[in-house]
Structures are given as structure tokens and as C-alpha cells.
Amino acid sequence: MSGNIQLLSDTLERAKSENRAALIAYLPAGFPTVDGGIEAVKAVLEGGADVVEIGLPHSDPVLDGPVIQTADDIALRGGVKIADVMRTVREAHEATGAPVLVMTYWNPIDRYGVERFTAELAEAGGAGCILPDLPVQESALWREHAEKHGLATVFVVAPSSKDERLATITAAGSGFVYAASLMGVTGTRESVGAQAQDLVRRTRATTELPVCVGLGVSNAVQAEEVAAFADGVIVGSAFVQRLLDAPDAAAGLEAVRALAGELAEGVRRGGGGAGAA
């Protein structure tokens, strides 16, 4: 069975045709429970997210800040497995028709088996994988299997990436490019500044792929700011924080659905960024 890379590309292209950036939400699988996590993913998509990334909880999440680390710890203590991640992808995609990716460190895939992981992700209706710690020069095996199964390979670029390095990374990737807005770990920030805009400009000079910005965006004002120059706006910690703060499951779902709606309005106000240099 082929994965949904084309659905991902079509979704990002549709947002561009509407003169707006896409809203991409991140939530970890198994948080607050496997079932609760699936419902949360559905809620953010119903609220206005175009694409969702499902985090595969990891015991040493080096790029994740304290909010996502807390959620990962809850999921791991709850016994979340890769099978639960696949189930989350399947049920979220079947319920909404939206493109669903997995964001994961390389070690769990390596241990699980690349062929097995890509085949199962495609069978679940997944659109691809974001691999923040897989070096491009070591990615040939992954890319071979991902391409075979119709899955996007999304690499992460950072403000520290030199232009030559950006070209190497974007040439190997597919789906979109994940531009980390700043150096450091995930989390909300007061501003998502000029570094991100410069990184998008430099990345766009190397590729036709959409360039989507993550790390630090937590509210509609910031989403609007980033949407003015990026093809997509990625929000994670703010959704997780809403679930952590909620007094009960129902309130959590309502909170993430409402946040998705606010952010979706923000990216629409940003307008035009998908075509801006």
C-alpha cells in the first residue's frame, strides 16, 4: 500500500492557492492516553489544522523542550508503543482525510526496522516522516524505503545551516522542509524573529519544496507573523500545554480545538507568505 505523500503535497498547494500558509499541528502519540491522543489529533484537525505531525515519544528527546518532554514522559509511562503511533496515524487520517506525518528520532526506527516501519506507516495512511536527527549523508536506506512506500522524508534545517548545507539537505528531502526558527529546543517564544525569515529565504533559494517554520509559535499573532513569509506554520508545544493545563479530557479537547481555530485565523491573516521570497 502506498503512503500519502501526494495528499501532503496537494494540501500544501491548496493552502498556497488560497494565498495563505498551511497550519501544521504537532501532538505526541499516547498523550494523555492513546485514545485521548487520537481524540486530540482529531480535534486540532477539526479546529482548523491542515496537517498534523504525530510525535513518537522518546526517552531522550534532545530537540524537545520541557513541555513536550513532559508529555513524552506521560506517554512512555503509559506504555505507548510504535503500534500505538501507527494506530494514531490510521485513526486520525481515516476520521479526517488529512495528511498525517510521524515525527521521530532515528533510533526507534533503526531498532524497529526501516522496511517494517515504512510499510506499516504507509499501510496506516501516513504521509511521511520528519527525522530531526538523521544526517542526510546517512539517510539513503530510509529514503529508499520511504520512496518505495510513497512517504515524504522531511528534514530539518536551522539558522546555523550554511547555504551549501541547505542545498544538500533540501535536495534529499521531499514533502516540505522543516525550518527551525531558532537555535535551541522546542517551546513557546516571545517572538519568532528575523532569523526565521532569513532561513526561509535562504532555503527557498535551494528548493521548490514548501518551507514550513516551527519552534516557538504559540499564538495567532505569531502565526500571522510567520505566515507572512513561510509556506507553513508548525505549532506543537502550545497544543501540548493546553492539554497539560486542562482539568479533564473534555476540556483539553475543547482547548486544542479552539487554539487550532485561532491559529488558522492567524495564518489566513498572514496571507501571501507562500509566494513571498
Side-chain angles (χ1 to χ4, degrees):
M1 181 172 175
S2 183
N4 273 313
I5 185 173
Q6 190 60 51
L7 175 63
L8 174 65
S9 297
D10 291 348
T11 300
L12 295 172
E13 185 60 37
R14 185 175 69 249
K16 183 176 181 178
S17 73
E18 295 171 0
N19 198 36
R20 67 176 179 87
L23 175 60
I24 303 174
Y26 166 94
L27 282 169
F31 169 74
T33 62
V34 175
D35 288 344
I38 291 168
E39 293 307 311
V41 173
K42 291 180 190 175
V44 298
L45 288 165
E46 291 161 2
D50 299 289
V51 179
V52 72
E53 305 169 4
I54 305 298
L56 195 162
H58 193 267
S59 56
D60 185 25
V62 291
L63 297 177
D64 293 313
V67 172
I68 291 174
Q69 284 185 23
T70 298
D72 277 6
D73 184 55
I74 290 168
L76 289 167
R77 283 191 282 117
V80 70
K81 304 279 195 298
I82 287 179
D84 299 314
V85 177
M86 299 299 178
R87 181 184 153 213
T88 302
V89 171
R90 176 182 290 103
E91 295 194 16
H93 172 64
E94 287 179 351
T96 64
V100 182
L101 301 105
V102 169
M103 187 167 189
T104 179
Y105 297 99
W106 178 244
N107 188 48
I109 295 178
D110 193 36
R111 290 176 58 189
Y112 197 71
V114 176
E115 168 60 24
R116 181 184 178 195
F117 190 94
T118 51
E120 289 183 9
L121 182 56
E123 193 275 328
C129 233
I130 302 162
L131 301 159
D133 68 338
L134 176 63
V136 170
Q137 62 271 24
E138 297 174 19
S139 67
L141 178 66
W142 164 267
R143 287 187 286 129
E144 174 192 338
H145 287 289
E147 190 171 343
K148 180 172 81 171
H149 289 291
L151 299 169
T153 297
V154 179
F155 288 114
V156 179
V157 298
S160 59
S161 302
K162 301 287 190 268
D163 291 352
E164 184 180 355
R165 178 73 177 153
L166 287 176
T168 301
I169 293 170
T170 59
S174 57
F176 65 91
V177 182
Y178 187 124
S181 66
L182 34 74
M183 303 304 293
V185 298
T186 60
T188 60
R189 299 289 194 282
E190 291 301 313
S191 68
V192 185
Q195 268 193 325
Q197 189 164 0
D198 179 64
L199 177 59
V200 170
R201 178 188 59 77
R202 293 193 299 117
T203 304
R204 280 215 180 108
T206 71
T207 184
E208 295 296 314
L209 289 173
V211 183
C212 303
V213 172
L215 270 64
V217 180
S218 61
N219 58 51
V221 172
Q222 291 173 332
E224 179 180 354
E225 176 192 353
V226 173
F229 59 81
D231 298 295
V233 179
I234 303 168
V235 181
S237 295
F239 284 114
V240 174
Q241 190 67 59
R242 293 284 179 106
L243 290 174
L244 287 168
D245 290 344
D248 55 52
L253 295 180
E254 189 50 48
V256 294
R257 186 181 288 107
L259 177 59
E262 294 162 18
L263 292 165
E265 289 180 14
V267 299
R268 282 165 173 77
R269 287 198 302 270

